[in-house]
Amino acid sequence: MAGPIAPTANAAARWRPVAARITGGLLGERQRVNGEAAVPSGPKRLESAGNLDNLRIAAGAPGDRRGPVFMDSDVYKWLEAAAWEYTRHGSPALLESQRQVTSVVAAAQHDDGYLNSMVERRYADLPWSHEHYCAGHLMQAAVAQARGTGDRALLDVAVRCADHLVATFGTDRRHDVDGHPVVEMGLVELFRETGTRAYLELAKYFVDARGHGLMEGYGQEPTYFSDRVPVREQTTVEGHAVRAVYLAAGAADVALETGDTGLLDALATQFDHMMATKTYVTGGLGARWDREAFGDEFELPADRAYAETCAAVGGIGWAWRMLLATGDVRYADAAERMLFNGFLAGVSLSGTEYFYVNPLHLRPGAHPDENRSPAHGRRGWFSCACCPPNVMRTLASLGSYLATADPDGVQIHLYAPSTIEAGEIGLEVETAYPWKGRVRVRVVRTPDREWTLALRVPGWTGAGGYRRERRRWEPGETFDLDLPMPVRLTTADDRVDAVRGCVAVERGPLVYAVEGTDTLHLIDAGAAEFRPDLLGGVTTVALTGEDRGPAAPGVTGPYRSTTQTAAIPYFAWANRGVQPMRVWLPRARI
Amino acid sequence: MAGPIAPTANAAARWRPVAARITGGLLGERQRVNGEAAVPSGPKRLESAGNLDNLRIAAGAPGDRRGPVFMDSDVYKWLEAAAWEYTRHGSPALLESQRQVTSVVAAAQHDDGYLNSMVERRYADLPWSHEHYCAGHLMQAAVAQARGTGDRALLDVAVRCADHLVATFGTDRRHDVDGHPVVEMGLVELFRETGTRAYLELAKYFVDARGHGLMEGYGQEPTYFSDRVPVREQTTVEGHAVRAVYLAAGAADVALETGDTGLLDALATQFDHMMATKTYVTGGLGARWDREAFGDEFELPADRAYAETCAAVGGIGWAWRMLLATGDVRYADAAERMLFNGFLAGVSLSGTEYFYVNPLHLRPGAHPDENRSPAHGRRGWFSCACCPPNVMRTLASLGSYLATADPDGVQIHLYAPSTIEAGEIGLEVETAYPWKGRVRVRVVRTPDREWTLALRVPGWTGAGGYRRERRRWEPGETFDLDLPMPVRLTTADDRVDAVRGCVAVERGPLVYAVEGTDTLHLIDAGAAEFRPDLLGGVTTVALTGEDRGPAAPGVTGPYRSTTQTAAIPYFAWANRGVQPMRVWLPRARI
């Protein structure tokens, strides 16, 4: 069964994803609670927030529509999550639930294929209306349903919607583009599933239409909409972070399927610049609450980091497509950083409470004036609910991001207890990653010829690349990779003013955080210790620091005392109530 | 003639402002260009932006209204500026221009006193409609016109408007309050001018009405509107910075006129907390672009400082009222810091180009996605034009913030070449302040008895307070104050993460900035030198630093070289085109 992002046989893909299943460990546990608690609760959320009623109203039922203009997209993201989750556990109840929601969607579609429950006048305000955005998520959900469950009801809806878009927009039709990208990815995936080349061509049109002034005069600078310069001329990421990375991921899909190396090179330049100047150590993307923007090079404040959960989803998707196209380990390194830190922090250990915004520092005593502030704690849903179902669909499909294959063998990029099926080759991975660096690969099935097993050696080891072992493998044979996992104290680029004089604690792929104090100045880091009782089981890092609390009443000068504490993985913060938190720790001696 | 903020005889004021006139120097030059270039251009701006047409339309003329809902306030702020400017140079043309604009305003007033050109349905959306806000500026302008020109046409309009408000809002009438404070200050000033006690009582009502849930459900957290807690229970400043300081200044006016020491104490606590935790070294107020908010304690990013010019105006006004009430030099110190740095940076040396936002750091190569970003350079006007006429009225009335009197004598707080008229006492001040620390006060007129001359010794000398000289003064006698002005390297509170490892260069009341480079790491500061040719004449500070530019292509590691540069006063930045700028300089050795 194909997962998301399944390049066609003709695609210019260096590597192709293979089916894998996560069987345990940290990621397996995150998938388990997502599948048991979060995904099944989706229809109730969509009922109570009004998303399904909106679609019923669009189909003729009485009532008043509720919520922001992109409400339909939450439905589609949940449908996608349900489809991928069904591939993990083929629950009849989930299948039935998905079919019921699908029928609500199908009933709202117009005869000509147009489908949107919120917009009064079609395409009258495309920079803001999210009509293509919703259509793109519909297509992704439909492809997931077809691949994951075999049902084709939603695919029929998506095809009719895509045909309508093809008939309406394009080079020799209406010149226009949605303010929020995602339809590019959706169209390419629909092309992959159906073979209809017009969808790929429309995706290419939407990629190339940006940066030519279509979105001037719509209340934001064109930068906001990723519309300041054409995608092929862009050298950085800028403006609204989610929009920017969704567009880049869609453009990477177009480059994969068209073999457009010029476009791919431009995207590589943008990705490199993003990682070098506009990415948090957590992989978080987006430095500004204001306009949810990337911000300037090296801006990256820890406290006011926006680092939206959806931007991490988009960043992982973009990195993965670049990896498939190029086989460059840097993209796998980036995806891992985003996944284990900026993304996983967006969902509670229970799997059902979310952060929209993922700062690297929460100050004590804040009086938050934003309702999506992490100072309010994690939430089950948001009035703008893009993040929760985005987390659900990503977790449910996580197995698809573990490994790839090429004619010479199999490449494993992300380590988790898992089974990997790549045609004639079957593998089992045993590991306690990310807590331990030992990875054991067992060959379960193998063809009777030489092939190469390539195992990623992450960049954080200091010598990133792929460890390649080419041999005639025997069934039952194992191969071990040992990744050293010392505690690392990381200093930022000197140009990141926000964290000058600070270090971040890292170990393996994980970034660490100190919770419960804001005044610790780091003296040194000590031993790592796995604590099965803590936060579902995490490895902590012992820290020695100087507590520089404010002076007590009547005391002159700041209070200082040497103190011991344990840093926890950043992704696990705010699971014991909201308390002060820091990723970047001031050094006690600078 | 009374200037702005003229406490009544019954007010609980420790000190009362006296009439003074700035005759030259830095502040005199800023007043000159404001009076010669900016203020006379106001009516043209108000015509082209549509403010005057809006009022004509409200009076019955045909046309479509333009601009944001608070457009009327720009007219009133300009009328106030024109009135104070008329006291400096009684230009018949300016008087005539002011009368014409006044007649446009008067014609738009309803029979019952209501006056607003933009609002369709009265008080239907008071948290956002700015109806009281516009009324407050009308009252301030009317008082200025009466005091500054003797005309009473606008005062009649303001009185009818205030009577309408008194008849509509209050304890036993409609319970409601404007989302944007300023009417509190306007009502108290109108009370001072007219003696109508109902205006003071309504101001007190508006102060006390906040913090009781009147603004819940209006699209922002109550914090945004300064409505989270009652003013008397508030211990900090929070939410929208301009709203917060305008409210505090209005509450201080109420406390002055009612002798309400409990209210005054609460305001003192808030002011102290603001200065200790939420004020930039420039005196700038407001750490966040997002919601134009103060932000959390110690947040204060240099690059993303909002520090709106209007917040500096409000901050100075609040500090001045607290000084009058308490006689505490800290308030004069705070007002001076705000005035010479955060406020003066908001207007070009030409007097006609403004900044809305006043950051302490501008990065190179930004692609700004906000139209009010300083990266675009100073602007002559804004679509939201609150700042330019606010600067005009403040500069035109600056003489009113120099000195005060009490029964024992005269206090001089702000040093500029000036003449001071305090009843029987007449003084002349000669000084090159802020470039030099020598202040010579010449007694021009004196009663034939002992009195005390009190001269502020600013807190930046390390020993702030008032130098008091009590004697029987002779006409022609002089008294010299010598304030040492070494270059100071200032370190921020350790809790301000944004500028850890950095220092700010200060000298006298001025904060310095380095322009044209973003990569200087400070080694040491050298001599101060007055440069008459530079930026209209400024004292520069020589700096030795290490330039840590990014690696050149093909060069490993960052480029470093020892370099010399000259820091300029922060207020003068961006007068030679927009270029990178830094107030906080990383130290080369930390």
Side-chain angles (χ1 to χ4, degrees):
Chain A
M1 181 221 82
I5 316 152
T8 61
N10 293 323
R14 167 91 184 267
W15 292 334
R16 284 156 204 286
V18 297
R21 171 180 291 270
I22 298 170
T23 54
L26 172 65
L27 297 180
E29 173 63 13
R30 301 264 64 72
Q31 281 197 316
R32 184 186 68 79
V33 294
N34 183 61
E36 291 180 4
V39 176
S41 74
K44 256 177 282 180
R45 293 287 187 186
L46 298 171
E47 285 293 2
S48 63
N51 309 65
L52 296 176
D53 277 345
N54 292 340
L55 286 160
R56 293 185 187 108
I57 292 163
D64 293 322
R65 292 168 308 182
R66 286 182 282 157
V69 70
F70 38 81
M71 286 285 275
D72 293 353
S73 65
D74 299 337
V75 178
Y76 305 141
K77 282 193 261 190
W78 178 82
L79 280 169
E80 185 184 344
W84 299 131
E85 180 58 26
Y86 186 75
T87 69
R88 294 184 60 253
H89 289 288
S91 147
L94 185 59
L95 189 64
E96 177 54 27
S97 178
Q98 180 197 247
R99 284 174 177 167
Q100 286 174 5
V101 172
T102 297
S103 69
V104 173
V105 171
Q109 189 166 35
H110 292 226
D111 289 342
D112 68 350
Y114 180 84
L115 173 50
N116 191 295
S117 79
M118 298 299 288
V119 170
E120 295 275 358
R121 288 173 49 230
R122 278 187 198 190
Y123 310 128
D125 187 27
L126 205 45
W128 290 109
S129 68
H130 291 68
E131 286 158 286
H132 293 176
Y133 171 82
C134 290
H137 276 299
L138 166 64
M139 295 173 206
Q140 293 189 320
V143 168
Q145 190 178 86
R147 292 181 189 159
T149 74
D151 278 8
R152 299 186 71 83
L154 198 63
L155 194 68
D156 291 344
V157 175
V159 162
R160 291 175 57 209
C161 177
D163 289 344
H164 153 74
L165 289 181
V166 165
T168 310
F169 297 92
T171 308
D172 52 1
R173 292 174 295 276
R174 174 167 166 169
H175 285 251
D176 221 337
V177 60
D178 193 287
H180 199 316
V182 99
V183 73
E184 301 80 2
M185 282 188 273
L187 283 164
V188 175
E189 279 282 269
L190 197 63
F191 154 69
R192 288 168 176 153
E193 189 62 23
T194 63
T196 305
R197 193 155 185 94
Y199 305 156
L200 174 61
E201 280 159 13
L202 184 60
K204 180 175 179 304
Y205 165 77
F206 284 142
V207 168
D208 287 332
R210 287 190 119 79
H212 297 287
L214 283 171
M215 278 173 285
E216 283 170 10
Y218 281 90
Q220 292 284 358
E221 301 286 310
T223 302
Y224 174 84
F225 302 110
S226 295
D227 195 43
R228 189 179 63 86
V229 290
V231 174
R232 287 159 199 278
E233 296 170 26
Q234 179 60 282
T235 58
T236 184
V237 286
E238 61 182 17
H240 190 285
V242 176
R243 294 169 197 246
V245 293
Y246 278 25
L247 175 64
D253 268 337
V254 169
L256 270 165
E257 294 298 340
T258 60
D260 186 335
T261 54
L263 179 57
L264 189 69
D265 288 349
L267 294 168
T269 298
Q270 294 164 28
F271 195 94
D272 285 351
H273 195 258
M274 175 177 80
M275 293 303 293
T277 71
K278 297 187 180 181
T279 303
Y280 285 97
V281 69
T282 57
L285 303 176
R288 296 185 186 170
W289 281 71
D290 192 60
R291 288 151 231 253
E292 309 185 298
F294 263 110
D296 291 332
E297 294 175 20
F298 307 111
E299 196 173 299
L300 301 172
D303 50 359
R304 295 293 290 169
Y306 199 67
E308 185 180 333
T309 304
C310 288
V313 171
I316 293 166
W318 182 17
W320 181 249
R321 287 163 174 82
M322 297 301 285
L323 180 69
L324 299 184
T326 65
D328 189 328
V329 70
R330 288 177 308 157
Y331 298 114
D333 286 346
E336 181 182 68
R337 181 172 291 278
M338 295 170 183
L339 172 66
F340 274 117
N341 304 287
F343 170 75
L344 274 193
V347 57
S348 67
L349 298 180
S350 67
T352 54
E353 303 277 320
Y354 303 90
F355 274 152
Y356 197 114
V357 174
N358 297 281
L360 286 77
H361 179 195
L362 187 69
R363 295 174 185 280
H367 294 299
D369 50 3
E370 304 104 346
N371 73 32
R372 64 181 68 157
S373 168
H376 292 295
R378 297 174 183 278
R379 295 193 164 181
W381 206 251
F382 297 90
S383 55
C384 171
C386 50
C387 297
N390 225 357
V391 169
M392 292 181 200
R393 72 184 182 118
T394 303
L395 283 176
S397 61
L398 215 50
S400 302
Y401 298 90
L402 261 56
T404 55
D406 68 4
D408 189 47
V410 173
Q411 304 83 40
I412 307 181
H413 309 286
L414 182 60
Y415 300 117
S418 52
T419 57
I420 296 169
E421 304 291 334
E424 299 167 290
I425 301 169
L427 305 173
E428 274 182 21
V429 178
E430 294 169 20
T431 184
Y433 198 87
W435 311 123
K436 294 183 180 173
R438 161 69 60 96
V439 178
R440 170 163 293 178
V441 181
R442 174 171 287 108
V443 176
V444 178
R445 286 181 296 106
T446 175
D448 187 24
R449 54 178 160 76
E450 283 197 349
W451 56 272
T452 302
L453 175 67
L455 300 178
R456 184 172 70 96
V457 180
W460 51 256
T461 61
Y466 286 89
R467 169 84 171 82
R468 289 188 163 82
E469 184 71 12
R470 182 175 177 78
R471 65 171 84 153
R472 188 180 296 264
W473 299 87
E474 300 292 332
E477 193 176 1
T478 62
F479 184 83
D480 286 356
L481 178 71
D482 276 295
L483 300 169
M485 280 196 178
V487 172
R488 312 191 303 280
L489 298 183
T490 304
T491 305
D493 188 298
D494 181 64
R495 288 165 287 185
V496 184
D497 295 273
V499 296
R500 195 183 308 285
C502 294
V503 291
V505 178
E506 296 187 274
R507 181 175 177 273
L510 299 178
V511 175
Y512 278 72
V514 172
E515 229 182 354
T517 172
D518 191 51
T519 51
L520 183 83
H521 288 56
L522 188 69
I523 295 172
D524 203 4
E529 179 192 5
F530 185 73
R531 297 266 305 275
D533 55 312
L534 187 68
L535 294 164
V538 297
T539 296
T540 61
V541 174
L543 302 181
T544 305
E546 189 174 83
D547 187 7
R548 296 190 189 166
V555 176
T556 304
Y559 169 81
R560 295 187 181 202
S561 71
T562 301
T563 185
Q564 312 288 328
T565 191
I568 60 168
Y570 169 72
F571 75 76
W573 87 281
N575 277 284
R576 298 175 290 188
V578 177
Q579 39 189 328
M581 181 277 294
R582 266 186 189 273
V583 167
W584 289 101
L585 302 171
R587 287 175 294 171
R589 315 268 178 268
I590 56 174
Chain B
M1 180 221 82
I5 317 152
T8 61
N10 293 325
R14 166 91 184 268
W15 292 334
R16 287 158 202 285
V18 297
R21 172 181 291 271
I22 298 170
T23 53
L26 172 65
L27 297 180
E29 173 63 13
R30 301 263 64 72
Q31 282 197 314
R32 184 186 69 77
V33 295
N34 183 60
E36 291 181 3
V39 176
S41 74
K44 255 177 285 180
R45 292 287 188 187
L46 299 170
E47 285 293 2
S48 63
N51 309 67
L52 297 176
D53 278 344
N54 291 341
L55 286 160
R56 292 186 187 107
I57 293 163
D64 293 321
R65 293 168 307 183
R66 284 181 283 157
V69 71
F70 39 82
M71 285 285 276
D72 293 354
S73 65
D74 299 336
V75 178
Y76 304 141
K77 282 193 259 190
W78 179 81
L79 280 169
E80 184 183 345
W84 299 131
E85 180 57 27
Y86 185 76
T87 68
R88 294 183 61 252
H89 288 288
S91 148
L94 185 60
L95 189 63
E96 177 55 27
S97 177
Q98 180 198 247
R99 285 174 175 167
Q100 286 175 6
V101 172
T102 298
S103 69
V104 173
V105 171
Q109 189 166 34
H110 293 224
D111 289 343
D112 67 352
Y114 181 82
L115 172 50
N116 190 295
S117 79
M118 298 298 289
V119 171
E120 294 276 358
R121 287 173 49 227
R122 278 186 199 193
Y123 310 128
D125 187 26
L126 204 45
W128 290 109
S129 68
H130 291 69
E131 283 158 286
H132 293 176
Y133 171 82
C134 290
H137 276 298
L138 166 65
M139 295 173 204
Q140 292 189 318
V143 168
Q145 190 178 85
R147 293 181 189 159
T149 73
D151 278 8
R152 299 186 71 82
L154 197 63
L155 194 69
D156 291 344
V157 175
V159 162
R160 291 175 58 209
C161 178
D163 289 344
H164 153 75
L165 289 181
V166 165
T168 310
F169 296 92
T171 308
D172 51 1
R173 291 173 297 279
R174 173 167 167 169
H175 286 252
D176 221 337
V177 61
D178 193 288
H180 199 317
V182 100
V183 73
E184 301 80 3
M185 284 188 272
L187 283 163
V188 176
E189 278 283 89
L190 197 64
F191 155 69
R192 288 167 178 156
E193 188 62 24
T194 63
T196 305
R197 195 158 183 92
Y199 305 155
L200 174 62
E201 282 160 9
L202 185 58
K204 180 175 179 306
Y205 166 78
F206 284 141
V207 167
D208 287 331
R210 288 190 118 79
H212 298 285
L214 284 171
M215 278 173 285
E216 282 170 11
Y218 282 90
Q220 293 285 358
E221 301 287 311
T223 303
Y224 174 84
F225 302 110
S226 294
D227 195 42
R228 188 178 64 85
V229 291
V231 173
R232 289 161 198 277
E233 296 171 25
Q234 179 60 281
T235 57
T236 184
V237 286
E238 61 182 18
H240 189 284
V242 176
R243 293 169 198 245
V245 293
Y246 278 26
L247 175 64
D253 268 336
V254 169
L256 270 165
E257 294 298 340
T258 60
D260 185 336
T261 54
L263 180 57
L264 189 68
D265 288 348
L267 294 169
T269 298
Q270 294 165 27
F271 195 95
D272 285 351
H273 194 258
M274 174 177 80
M275 293 304 291
T277 71
K278 297 187 180 183
T279 304
Y280 285 97
V281 68
T282 57
L285 304 175
R288 296 184 185 171
W289 280 71
D290 193 59
R291 289 151 229 251
E292 310 185 303
F294 262 112
D296 291 332
E297 293 175 20
F298 306 111
E299 197 173 298
L300 301 174
D303 50 0
R304 295 294 291 170
Y306 200 67
E308 186 179 333
T309 304
C310 287
V313 170
I316 294 167
W318 182 16
W320 181 250
R321 286 162 175 84
M322 297 300 288
L323 179 71
L324 298 184
T326 66
D328 188 329
V329 70
R330 289 176 307 155
Y331 298 115
D333 286 347
E336 181 181 70
R337 182 172 290 278
M338 294 169 183
L339 172 66
F340 273 117
N341 302 288
F343 169 76
L344 274 194
V347 57
S348 67
L349 299 180
S350 67
T352 53
E353 303 277 321
Y354 303 90
F355 273 151
Y356 197 112
V357 175
N358 297 281
L360 286 77
H361 179 196
L362 187 68
R363 295 175 185 279
H367 294 299
D369 48 3
E370 303 104 347
N371 74 31
R372 64 181 66 158
S373 168
H376 292 298
R378 297 174 182 280
R379 295 191 166 184
W381 207 249
F382 298 89
S383 54
C384 172
C386 49
C387 297
N390 226 357
V391 170
M392 292 181 200
R393 72 185 182 117
T394 304
L395 283 176
S397 61
L398 215 51
S400 301
Y401 299 91
L402 261 54
T404 57
D406 67 6
D408 189 48
V410 173
Q411 304 83 38
I412 308 181
H413 309 286
L414 182 60
Y415 299 117
S418 51
T419 58
I420 295 169
E421 302 291 335
E424 301 168 290
I425 300 169
L427 305 173
E428 273 180 21
V429 177
E430 294 168 20
T431 184
Y433 198 87
W435 312 123
K436 294 183 180 173
R438 162 68 59 94
V439 178
R440 169 163 294 179
V441 181
R442 174 172 287 109
V443 176
V444 178
R445 287 181 295 106
T446 176
D448 187 24
R449 52 179 161 75
E450 281 196 353
W451 56 273
T452 301
L453 176 65
L455 301 178
R456 184 172 70 96
V457 180
W460 50 257
T461 62
Y466 286 90
R467 169 81 174 84
R468 290 187 162 82
E469 185 69 15
R470 181 174 177 82
R471 64 171 83 152
R472 188 179 296 265
W473 297 87
E474 300 294 330
E477 193 175 2
T478 63
F479 184 82
D480 287 355
L481 178 71
D482 276 295
L483 300 170
M485 280 198 182
V487 172
R488 311 191 303 280
L489 297 183
T490 303
T491 304
D493 188 298
D494 181 65
R495 289 165 287 183
V496 184
D497 295 272
V499 297
R500 194 183 309 285
C502 294
V503 291
V505 178
E506 296 187 274
R507 181 175 178 273
L510 299 179
V511 176
Y512 278 72
V514 171
E515 226 180 359
T517 173
D518 191 52
T519 52
L520 184 83
H521 289 56
L522 188 68
I523 295 171
D524 204 5
E529 179 192 6
F530 186 72
R531 296 267 304 274
D533 56 312
L534 187 70
L535 294 163
V538 296
T539 296
T540 61
V541 174
L543 302 181
T544 304
E546 189 174 81
D547 186 7
R548 297 189 189 168
V555 176
T556 305
Y559 169 82
R560 295 187 180 203
S561 70
T562 301
T563 184
Q564 313 288 328
T565 192
I568 60 167
Y570 169 71
F571 76 75
W573 88 282
N575 277 284
R576 299 174 290 188
V578 176
Q579 39 191 325
M581 181 277 293
R582 267 185 186 274
V583 167
W584 289 100
L585 302 172
R587 288 175 292 171
R589 315 267 178 267
I590 55 175

